[in-house]
Amino acid sequence: MSNIYIQEPPTNGKVLLKTSVGDIDIELWSRECPKACRNFIQLCLEGYYDNNIFHRLVKGFIVQTGDPTGTGMGGESAFGQPFKDEFHSRLRFVRRGLVAMANSGVKDDNTSQFFFTLDSCPELQNKHTIFGKVTGNTIYNMIKLDESQVDQNERPLFPHKINSTEILLNPFPDIVPRMKEKKVEKVEEKSKSKATKNFSLLSFGEEAEEEEEEVMKTAQEFRGKSKSSHDLLKDDPKLSALPAVDTNELMTSDEDIEDKKDNQTEDSSEQKSERLDRIKAKLKKGVKEEKTEEILDKDEEEFFENEKRLKLEKQDSCPLLKVRDEFKALKRQMCAELKKKCEKVTKCKIYDNPAVQEFIEEAKKYKEASSNLPKKGCPKRESLCMQLLEKFKTRLLTTKERKTSESEEKEGNTSSDWLSHHLQCQKEETILAKDANLRNEEDWYDIYDPRNPINKRRREEGLEKNVKKPRVK
């Protein structure tokens, strides 16, 4: 167990959680996981975790908290949006007492929820960011969280909670707690009753009352209408009520001018509309008429002539259109010349390879045959296809019934018909593998080591047998 603690990097930062089970000291790895630690300290400074319950408990696995709603679906980070995961090679889920960020199973989805590990959790590696550990004897208070009863949804029946948080060592001195949004009370609407004026206090009160009454009368008369000085002061003798210009004269003059314009444009517009209607009707029917003098009407001829004139005028005015047309004409000439050259080369080419010549000849035959075939969708094409299939069927049946002679089999079938060929495999003699367990004296060899004392003794015994002993008389 000591090897595990040696492998972990040193901590920098400390937070105290005051829970219903007891105090829990958490040391932070602020260098390895700066975002997660900054988020945790920011929320602790603001009192975000106060009165948060431990809403999830998996026995012998984890205890989760950090959701102010207590449902497990809420919580926001100090950055205003989820932040990225921070994995470190020396931080691993190999023991209990580790503090890590909770997420929804999606990558880079860390907010405010975190959990304590109650045992080694290798399946959580590189899925959740470890940013702290429980230290000292407070780990026993954390283990007490595992003793509470749980329902089927891994929710404690009598959940413990975090009463408050205290930062003992802040590794980020630049963090400033955000001010809580104060609830602004709604201001009551002012009463619509207006204050009454007391004119008796003024020395000229009677005159003021008369002026105000006149103003109120005019306001009521012209309410919702645009007001002018002539309307307000129509009773003034200095101003004349008669208009400077008679409106009837203006109307008559304007109407005469418009009528003249309409009479001039009616003839031309009617003629154009009739022409366009005729052309549109023919286009809708889809009739492709030849543009000759006999078929086209006079109206249509005039219409197309006008279009040609407009195009020519545009080309004369715009030099870019001229260049474009010249470019298209040159392109067509180049394509035509290239086609002619290719045809000449193919005619003049001499293929040394006989296989290529055969291929070209067969390709020509197929092209000629395909040109004579009827088009798709034609009833003749279907009947022709059925005839070809019947011919092929009869050809197959005749080749099966036909029997080749013995001389043809020996010499080999040299005919060009591919249906008459047969696939034949040469008979090969089967070679049996030798069994290593069976000893054949002819193929058996013994290897003797001359340095071995047993072989040395056998060799000496053989020499003694071969030596002839002298006969004793």
Side-chain angles (χ1 to χ4, degrees):
M1 193 70 182
S2 61
N3 294 329
I4 293 167
Y5 291 106
I6 291 163
Q7 288 173 2
E8 290 175 354
T11 57
N12 182 22
K14 195 170 185 180
V15 178
L16 177 66
L17 299 182
K18 294 178 181 180
T19 65
S20 57
V21 176
D23 294 346
I24 298 173
D25 286 330
I26 298 171
E27 291 185 359
L28 305 173
W29 283 297
S30 57
R31 296 189 192 89
E32 288 74 18
C33 308
K35 285 185 181 178
C37 294
R38 185 179 280 274
N39 177 60
F40 185 68
I41 287 168
Q42 180 82 49
L43 296 174
C44 288
L45 282 169
E46 294 170 0
Y48 188 83
Y49 294 124
D50 294 353
N51 299 318
N52 285 7
I53 62 167
F54 290 89
H55 60 268
R56 189 187 177 197
L57 170 62
V58 183
K59 294 277 188 178
F61 191 59
I62 59 163
V63 187
Q64 191 169 330
T65 184
D67 183 7
T69 61
T71 58
M73 303 297 289
E76 293 181 358
S77 67
F79 307 110
Q81 59 184 359
F83 57 91
K84 291 185 178 181
D85 296 324
E86 294 173 316
F87 303 129
H88 196 268
S89 58
R90 292 174 68 185
L91 299 175
R92 295 185 164 276
F93 288 96
V94 291
R95 64 182 182 88
R96 65 186 179 187
L98 296 171
V99 189
M101 295 300 299
N103 56 35
S104 60
V106 183
K107 189 180 177 183
D108 301 332
D109 190 25
N110 302 307
T111 52
S112 64
Q113 296 188 36
F114 63 94
F115 62 88
F116 299 111
T117 58
L118 300 170
D119 201 351
S120 62
C121 312
E123 60 269 23
L124 302 179
Q125 191 63 40
N126 294 332
K127 293 180 182 178
H128 299 270
T129 58
I130 303 166
F131 66 93
K133 62 179 179 179
V134 181
T135 57
N137 294 327
T138 59
I139 195 166
Y140 298 111
N141 295 331
M142 190 269 294
I143 291 164
K144 288 179 186 177
L145 298 169
D146 195 16
E147 296 173 0
S148 57
Q149 296 178 355
V150 184
D151 61 3
Q152 294 177 354
N153 298 322
E154 299 175 350
R155 190 174 178 81
L157 298 173
F158 306 99
H160 297 285
K161 67 176 182 177
I162 300 168
N163 295 323
S164 62
T165 57
E166 185 181 351
I167 295 167
L168 304 176
L169 178 61
N170 189 357
F172 306 105
D174 59 331
I175 293 175
V176 179
R178 296 171 291 182
M179 295 296 291
K180 293 182 179 179
E181 294 178 357
K182 294 181 179 179
K183 293 180 181 179
V184 181
E185 297 179 354
K186 292 182 180 180
V187 181
E188 294 181 356
E189 294 181 356
K190 295 179 180 180
S191 60
K192 294 181 180 180
S193 60
K194 295 180 181 180
T196 56
K197 295 178 181 179
N198 190 3
F199 293 102
S200 61
L201 298 171
L202 299 170
S203 60
F204 51 90
E206 292 178 359
E207 295 176 1
E209 283 181 357
E210 290 175 359
E211 288 177 359
E212 191 172 0
E213 286 175 1
E214 289 178 0
V215 171
M216 291 297 289
K217 285 178 183 179
T218 53
Q220 286 176 2
E221 288 176 3
F222 298 102
R223 188 173 289 171
K225 298 178 182 179
S226 59
K227 304 173 186 65
S228 65
S229 61
H230 182 74
D231 295 327
L232 294 169
L233 302 170
K234 63 183 178 180
D235 297 329
D236 193 354
K238 293 178 182 179
L239 297 171
S240 64
L242 296 170
V245 182
D246 191 3
T247 55
N248 294 322
E249 291 179 1
L250 289 170
M251 291 295 288
T252 52
S253 62
D254 292 335
E255 286 174 357
D256 292 335
I257 293 160
E258 287 178 357
D259 291 332
K260 287 177 183 178
K261 288 181 180 178
D262 293 332
N263 291 325
Q264 289 175 0
T265 55
E266 274 178 2
D267 298 332
S268 60
S269 62
E270 286 178 359
Q271 289 175 0
K272 287 180 181 178
S273 61
E274 286 176 0
R275 290 173 187 174
L276 289 168
D277 290 335
R278 289 175 189 174
I279 293 161
K280 284 178 182 178
K282 287 184 179 180
L283 290 170
K284 284 179 182 178
K285 289 177 184 177
V287 179
K288 295 181 181 179
E289 298 179 352
E290 295 180 357
K291 294 179 183 179
T292 58
E293 293 179 358
E294 295 176 357
I295 297 166
L296 288 172
D297 299 333
K298 292 180 180 179
D299 297 333
E300 290 179 4
E301 286 178 1
E302 289 176 2
F303 182 77
F304 286 117
E305 284 176 2
N306 290 328
E307 280 188 349
K308 287 177 182 178
R309 284 174 188 172
L310 289 168
K311 284 181 181 179
L312 292 169
E313 286 174 1
K314 286 180 181 178
Q315 287 177 0
D316 294 333
S317 61
C318 185
L320 292 170
L321 292 170
K322 289 181 181 179
V323 174
R324 189 179 66 184
D325 295 334
E326 288 176 1
F327 177 74
K328 285 181 180 179
L330 289 168
K331 193 175 180 181
R332 287 170 188 168
Q333 288 178 3
M334 290 287 289
C335 291
E337 287 176 0
L338 284 169
K339 283 181 181 178
K340 288 178 181 178
K341 285 180 181 179
C342 291
E343 288 174 359
K344 287 178 181 179
V345 169
T346 51
K347 287 177 181 178
C348 297
K349 255 186 185 178
I350 298 165
Y351 295 102
D352 298 331
N353 194 349
V356 176
Q357 290 178 359
E358 288 178 4
F359 172 75
I360 291 164
E361 289 174 0
E362 286 180 359
K364 286 179 182 178
K365 288 178 183 178
Y366 282 115
K367 280 182 181 178
E368 289 174 359
S370 61
S371 63
N372 296 326
L373 288 171
K375 293 180 180 179
K376 288 183 180 179
C378 186
K380 291 181 181 179
R381 189 181 177 88
E382 292 179 0
S383 61
L384 195 143
C385 183
M386 293 300 293
Q387 288 176 6
L388 290 169
L389 284 169
E390 286 177 359
K391 282 181 182 178
F392 184 69
K393 189 176 178 181
T394 52
R395 192 178 175 188
L396 284 171
L397 291 169
T398 52
T399 49
K400 284 180 181 179
E401 291 173 358
R402 188 171 57 196
K403 293 180 181 180
T404 56
S405 60
E406 292 180 359
S407 61
E408 285 179 355
E409 286 180 0
K410 288 180 182 179
E411 293 174 359
N413 197 358
T414 57
S415 62
S416 61
D417 192 3
W418 58 274
L419 291 168
S420 61
H421 288 279
H422 296 281
L423 181 66
Q424 292 180 354
C425 299
Q426 293 181 356
K427 291 182 179 181
E428 295 181 356
E429 295 179 0
T430 55
I431 299 167
L432 298 171
K434 291 182 180 180
D435 192 356
N437 296 321
L438 298 172
R439 182 168 177 176
N440 190 2
E441 292 182 356
E442 293 178 358
D443 300 331
W444 191 265
Y445 298 96
D446 290 330
I447 298 168
Y448 295 100
D449 188 2
R451 295 172 293 178
N452 194 351
I454 296 167
N455 295 332
K456 190 177 180 182
R457 190 179 61 196
R458 286 177 182 172
R459 195 165 53 254
E460 288 175 356
E461 287 177 359
L463 290 169
E464 288 176 359
K465 287 179 182 179
N466 291 328
V467 173
K468 291 180 180 181
K469 293 180 180 180
R471 291 182 181 179
V472 179
K473 291 182 181 179

